[in-house]
Short mmCIF file of all heavy atoms in Angstrom, two decimals:
data_model
loop_
_atom_site.label_atom_id
_atom_site.label_comp_id
_atom_site.label_asym_id
_atom_site.label_seq_id
_atom_site.Cartn_x
_atom_site.Cartn_y
_atom_site.Cartn_z
N PHE A 1 10.59 -27.00 13.33
CA PHE A 1 10.85 -26.48 12.00
C PHE A 1 11.54 -27.55 11.15
O PHE A 1 12.65 -27.98 11.45
CB PHE A 1 11.71 -25.23 12.08
CG PHE A 1 11.04 -24.08 12.81
CD1 PHE A 1 11.67 -23.47 13.88
CD2 PHE A 1 9.79 -23.64 12.42
CE1 PHE A 1 11.07 -22.42 14.55
CE2 PHE A 1 9.17 -22.59 13.09
CZ PHE A 1 9.80 -21.97 14.16
N ALA A 2 10.85 -27.97 10.09
CA ALA A 2 11.41 -28.93 9.13
C ALA A 2 11.94 -30.18 9.81
O ALA A 2 13.03 -30.65 9.52
CB ALA A 2 12.50 -28.27 8.30
N ILE A 3 11.16 -30.72 10.74
CA ILE A 3 11.59 -31.92 11.46
C ILE A 3 10.56 -33.05 11.35
O ILE A 3 10.93 -34.22 11.18
CB ILE A 3 11.89 -31.60 12.96
CG1 ILE A 3 12.36 -32.85 13.70
CG2 ILE A 3 10.70 -30.97 13.65
CD1 ILE A 3 13.66 -33.41 13.22
N VAL A 4 9.26 -32.74 11.40
CA VAL A 4 8.25 -33.80 11.43
C VAL A 4 8.20 -34.56 10.11
O VAL A 4 7.85 -35.74 10.09
CB VAL A 4 6.87 -33.24 11.81
CG1 VAL A 4 5.83 -34.35 11.87
CG2 VAL A 4 6.94 -32.53 13.17
N HIS A 5 8.58 -33.92 9.00
CA HIS A 5 8.56 -34.67 7.74
C HIS A 5 9.66 -35.72 7.66
O HIS A 5 9.71 -36.50 6.71
CB HIS A 5 8.61 -33.73 6.52
CG HIS A 5 9.74 -32.76 6.50
ND1 HIS A 5 9.55 -31.41 6.29
CD2 HIS A 5 11.08 -32.93 6.62
CE1 HIS A 5 10.71 -30.79 6.29
NE2 HIS A 5 11.64 -31.69 6.48
N PHE A 6 10.52 -35.79 8.67
CA PHE A 6 11.50 -36.88 8.76
C PHE A 6 10.95 -38.06 9.56
O PHE A 6 11.68 -39.01 9.83
CB PHE A 6 12.82 -36.39 9.36
CG PHE A 6 13.56 -35.43 8.46
CD1 PHE A 6 13.74 -34.12 8.82
CD2 PHE A 6 14.06 -35.86 7.24
CE1 PHE A 6 14.40 -33.23 7.98
CE2 PHE A 6 14.73 -34.99 6.40
CZ PHE A 6 14.90 -33.67 6.77
N MET A 7 9.67 -37.99 9.91
CA MET A 7 9.02 -39.10 10.60
C MET A 7 8.02 -39.76 9.65
O MET A 7 7.09 -39.11 9.18
CB MET A 7 8.28 -38.61 11.85
CG MET A 7 9.17 -38.12 12.95
SD MET A 7 8.21 -37.88 14.47
CE MET A 7 7.75 -39.58 14.86
N PRO A 8 8.18 -41.06 9.37
CA PRO A 8 7.20 -41.75 8.51
C PRO A 8 5.87 -41.90 9.24
O PRO A 8 5.79 -41.78 10.47
CB PRO A 8 7.86 -43.10 8.25
CG PRO A 8 8.73 -43.32 9.45
CD PRO A 8 9.24 -41.97 9.83
N ASP A 9 4.83 -42.18 8.50
CA ASP A 9 3.50 -42.32 9.09
C ASP A 9 3.47 -43.39 10.17
O ASP A 9 2.80 -43.24 11.20
CB ASP A 9 2.46 -42.65 8.01
CG ASP A 9 2.24 -41.48 7.05
OD1 ASP A 9 2.54 -40.33 7.42
OD2 ASP A 9 1.78 -41.74 5.93
N GLU A 10 4.21 -44.48 9.95
CA GLU A 10 4.18 -45.57 10.92
C GLU A 10 4.84 -45.20 12.25
O GLU A 10 4.67 -45.90 13.26
CB GLU A 10 4.83 -46.83 10.35
CG GLU A 10 6.23 -46.65 9.82
CD GLU A 10 6.28 -46.32 8.34
OE1 GLU A 10 5.29 -45.75 7.82
OE2 GLU A 10 7.29 -46.62 7.70
N ALA A 11 5.60 -44.10 12.26
CA ALA A 11 6.23 -43.65 13.50
C ALA A 11 5.29 -42.75 14.31
O ALA A 11 5.68 -42.28 15.38
CB ALA A 11 7.53 -42.91 13.20
N ASP A 12 4.08 -42.52 13.81
CA ASP A 12 3.05 -41.77 14.51
C ASP A 12 3.47 -40.32 14.81
O ASP A 12 3.61 -39.93 15.97
CB ASP A 12 2.67 -42.47 15.82
CG ASP A 12 1.46 -41.83 16.50
OD1 ASP A 12 0.70 -41.11 15.81
OD2 ASP A 12 1.29 -42.05 17.71
N PRO A 13 3.65 -39.52 13.76
CA PRO A 13 4.02 -38.12 13.99
C PRO A 13 2.97 -37.34 14.78
O PRO A 13 3.32 -36.46 15.57
CB PRO A 13 4.21 -37.55 12.58
CG PRO A 13 3.46 -38.48 11.69
CD PRO A 13 3.56 -39.83 12.32
N ALA A 14 1.69 -37.70 14.59
CA ALA A 14 0.65 -37.01 15.35
C ALA A 14 0.81 -37.28 16.85
O ALA A 14 0.60 -36.38 17.68
CB ALA A 14 -0.74 -37.46 14.88
N GLY A 15 1.18 -38.50 17.18
CA GLY A 15 1.42 -38.83 18.58
C GLY A 15 2.60 -38.07 19.15
O GLY A 15 2.59 -37.66 20.32
N LEU A 16 3.63 -37.88 18.33
CA LEU A 16 4.80 -37.10 18.75
C LEU A 16 4.39 -35.68 19.10
O LEU A 16 4.71 -35.16 20.18
CB LEU A 16 5.85 -37.08 17.64
CG LEU A 16 6.96 -36.04 17.78
CD1 LEU A 16 7.95 -36.46 18.84
CD2 LEU A 16 7.66 -35.79 16.46
N VAL A 17 3.68 -35.04 18.17
CA VAL A 17 3.27 -33.65 18.40
C VAL A 17 2.37 -33.57 19.64
O VAL A 17 2.51 -32.67 20.47
CB VAL A 17 2.54 -33.09 17.17
CG1 VAL A 17 2.05 -31.67 17.43
CG2 VAL A 17 3.48 -33.10 15.95
N ALA A 18 1.46 -34.53 19.77
CA ALA A 18 0.55 -34.54 20.92
C ALA A 18 1.30 -34.72 22.23
O ALA A 18 0.91 -34.17 23.27
CB ALA A 18 -0.49 -35.64 20.76
N GLY A 19 2.41 -35.47 22.18
CA GLY A 19 3.19 -35.67 23.40
C GLY A 19 3.75 -34.37 23.94
O GLY A 19 3.73 -34.13 25.16
N TYR A 20 4.24 -33.53 23.05
CA TYR A 20 4.74 -32.22 23.49
C TYR A 20 3.60 -31.28 23.84
O TYR A 20 3.72 -30.48 24.78
CB TYR A 20 5.64 -31.62 22.41
CG TYR A 20 6.97 -32.34 22.30
CD1 TYR A 20 7.20 -33.24 21.28
CD2 TYR A 20 7.98 -32.12 23.24
CE1 TYR A 20 8.41 -33.93 21.19
CE2 TYR A 20 9.18 -32.80 23.15
CZ TYR A 20 9.40 -33.70 22.13
OH TYR A 20 10.59 -34.39 22.05
N ARG A 21 2.51 -31.37 23.11
CA ARG A 21 1.34 -30.54 23.45
C ARG A 21 0.88 -30.84 24.87
O ARG A 21 0.62 -29.92 25.66
CB ARG A 21 0.21 -30.84 22.46
CG ARG A 21 -1.08 -30.06 22.71
CD ARG A 21 -2.25 -30.74 22.01
NE ARG A 21 -2.52 -32.06 22.58
CZ ARG A 21 -3.08 -33.06 21.92
NH1 ARG A 21 -3.42 -32.93 20.65
NH2 ARG A 21 -3.28 -34.22 22.53
N ASP A 22 0.77 -32.12 25.20
CA ASP A 22 0.26 -32.50 26.51
C ASP A 22 1.25 -32.19 27.64
O ASP A 22 0.85 -32.14 28.80
CB ASP A 22 -0.08 -33.99 26.52
CG ASP A 22 -1.24 -34.32 25.59
OD1 ASP A 22 -1.95 -33.39 25.16
OD2 ASP A 22 -1.42 -35.52 25.27
N ALA A 23 2.52 -32.00 27.30
CA ALA A 23 3.53 -31.70 28.31
C ALA A 23 3.62 -30.21 28.62
O ALA A 23 4.35 -29.81 29.54
CB ALA A 23 4.90 -32.21 27.86
N THR A 24 2.87 -29.41 27.86
CA THR A 24 2.92 -27.96 28.07
C THR A 24 1.56 -27.45 28.55
O THR A 24 0.53 -28.08 28.34
CB THR A 24 3.31 -27.23 26.78
OG1 THR A 24 2.39 -27.57 25.73
CG2 THR A 24 4.72 -27.62 26.35
N VAL A 25 1.59 -26.30 29.19
CA VAL A 25 0.37 -25.75 29.79
C VAL A 25 -0.41 -24.92 28.76
O VAL A 25 0.13 -24.52 27.73
CB VAL A 25 0.73 -24.87 31.01
CG1 VAL A 25 1.45 -25.67 32.07
CG2 VAL A 25 1.56 -23.65 30.58
N PRO A 26 -1.69 -24.67 29.04
CA PRO A 26 -2.46 -23.76 28.18
C PRO A 26 -1.74 -22.41 28.05
O PRO A 26 -1.13 -21.93 29.00
CB PRO A 26 -3.80 -23.62 28.92
CG PRO A 26 -3.93 -24.92 29.65
CD PRO A 26 -2.55 -25.27 30.09
N GLY A 27 -1.84 -21.84 26.86
CA GLY A 27 -1.11 -20.61 26.59
C GLY A 27 0.22 -20.86 25.91
O GLY A 27 0.88 -19.93 25.46
N SER A 28 0.60 -22.16 25.82
CA SER A 28 1.80 -22.52 25.08
C SER A 28 1.49 -22.52 23.58
O SER A 28 0.32 -22.53 23.17
CB SER A 28 2.30 -23.91 25.50
OG SER A 28 2.72 -23.91 26.85
N TYR A 29 2.53 -22.52 22.78
CA TYR A 29 2.36 -22.46 21.33
C TYR A 29 3.16 -23.57 20.64
O TYR A 29 4.17 -24.04 21.18
CB TYR A 29 2.85 -21.12 20.79
CG TYR A 29 1.96 -19.94 21.08
CD1 TYR A 29 2.05 -19.27 22.30
CD2 TYR A 29 1.05 -19.47 20.12
CE1 TYR A 29 1.26 -18.17 22.56
CE2 TYR A 29 0.25 -18.37 20.38
CZ TYR A 29 0.36 -17.72 21.60
OH TYR A 29 -0.44 -16.62 21.85
N LEU A 30 2.69 -23.93 19.47
CA LEU A 30 3.44 -24.79 18.56
C LEU A 30 3.67 -24.03 17.26
O LEU A 30 2.71 -23.53 16.66
CB LEU A 30 2.66 -26.08 18.26
CG LEU A 30 3.20 -26.94 17.10
CD1 LEU A 30 4.58 -27.52 17.44
CD2 LEU A 30 2.22 -28.06 16.74
#
C-alpha cells in the first residue's frame, strides 16, 4: 500500500513485485 511509487523506474519495481510473487504459492494475493 502506497510503497511502490517510492521506487524509481531504474530500481525495477516490476522486478520487486515479481520477487514477492515468485516467493508465494498459487492462491496467494497481491
